[in-house]
């Protein structure tokens, strides 16, 4: 989630101090609701500190997971044919890394630039552009206020169902 989601305003939607592992608390969060880069850095620091990186298989696509009742172990097979056996499977792909695109008439005829917040283009500059956001999920709740401050010419939000979003009482912690 924190690797892929780099849209403007990407941040934690719970207080930062609750977003720490119990075994590696972070007393140095910079703000009440930390932003994407700070959360990613914390997770990377945690993985380094506890020697997790050598045990991670990045960029793997799983073909199947098979549970063996006799050995009480999992066999994970990748599309490349590699097999790994273990007691536990931990999915580290994040629940928000696969974008869900809306489907509406005329969508294929749109000539402008279009992308999902989960695939935000780091070099995208919304200055003086007419921007539309479809949906009001957690990403939109964060991206829309930030986009509105980035010099857009016009910002329109399309929503089917209004979301309930309490005020995020965010602030920077003093040094």
């Amino acid at each position: 989630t924190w690797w892929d989601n780099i849209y403007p305003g990407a941040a934690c939607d719970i207080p930062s101090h609750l977003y720490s592992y119990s075994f590696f608390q972070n007393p140095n969060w910079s703000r009440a609701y930390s932003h994407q880069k700070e959360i990613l850095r914390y997770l990377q620091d945690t993985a380094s500190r506890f020697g997790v990186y050598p045990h991670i298989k990045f960029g793997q696509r799983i073909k199947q997971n098979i549970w063996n009742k006799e050995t009480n172990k999992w066999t994970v097979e990748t599309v490349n044919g590699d097999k790994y056996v273990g007691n536990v499977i931990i999915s580290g792909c994040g629940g928000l890394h696969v974008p869900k695109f809306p489907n509406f008439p005329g969508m294929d005829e749109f000539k402008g630039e279009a992308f999902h917040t989960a695939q935000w283009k780091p070099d995208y500059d919304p200055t003086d552009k007419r921007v539309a956001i479809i949906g009001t999920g957690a990403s939109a709740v964060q991206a829309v206020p930030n986009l509105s401050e980035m010099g857009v010419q016009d910002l329109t939000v399309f929503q089917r169902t209004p979301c309930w979003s309490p005020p995020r009482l965010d602030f920077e912690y003093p040094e």
Side-chain angles (χ1 to χ4, degrees):
T1 298
W2 300 113
W3 177 264
D4 285 335
N5 287 285
I6 59 168
Y7 56 84
C12 196
D13 53 7
I14 63 168
S16 300
H17 285 86
L18 299 176
Y19 207 81
S20 295
Y21 292 113
S22 60
F23 57 86
F24 194 55
Q25 294 288 310
N26 181 5
N28 300 312
W29 291 113
S30 67
R31 53 189 321 112
Y33 292 84
S34 295
H35 295 168
Q36 175 268 343
K37 286 181 182 176
E38 186 174 13
I39 295 168
L40 179 60
R41 189 170 50 252
Y42 165 73
L43 294 173
Q44 291 169 328
D45 290 348
T46 304
S48 293
R49 166 91 189 276
F50 292 95
V52 173
Y53 279 117
H55 304 286
I56 298 174
K57 304 295 181 194
F58 289 104
Q60 301 293 309
R61 196 175 161 117
I62 304 304
K63 179 179 177 183
Q64 62 181 345
N65 298 321
I66 301 171
W67 174 250
N68 185 321
K69 287 191 247 180
E70 315 296 315
T71 63
N72 289 329
K73 297 205 184 266
W74 286 99
T75 299
V76 178
E77 184 179 352
T78 68
V79 294
N80 297 334
D82 297 328
K83 292 186 179 182
Y84 304 92
V85 177
N87 299 325
V88 177
I89 295 175
I90 299 173
S91 173
C93 63
L96 304 173
H97 76 291
V98 178
K100 181 171 177 13
F101 287 92
N103 186 8
F104 54 86
M107 185 173 168
D108 295 342
E109 299 165 22
F110 180 69
K111 302 291 185 230
E113 194 165 10
F115 53 91
H116 196 283
T117 53
Q119 297 171 327
W120 193 267
K121 298 177 179 183
D123 59 344
Y124 177 70
D125 181 6
T127 305
D128 296 326
K129 294 185 177 148
R130 296 175 60 213
V131 177
I133 300 284
I134 300 173
T136 53
S139 299
V141 166
Q142 295 176 1
V144 169
N146 285 275
L147 280 167
S148 73
E149 297 174 358
M150 295 175 72
V152 295
Q153 178 187 32
D154 187 57
L155 180 59
T156 303
V157 177
F158 296 93
Q159 69 179 19
R160 178 181 54 211
T161 307
C163 67
W164 181 80
S165 183
R168 183 170 63 176
L169 306 174
D170 192 20
F171 57 89
E172 287 187 28
Y173 291 120
E175 290 286 324

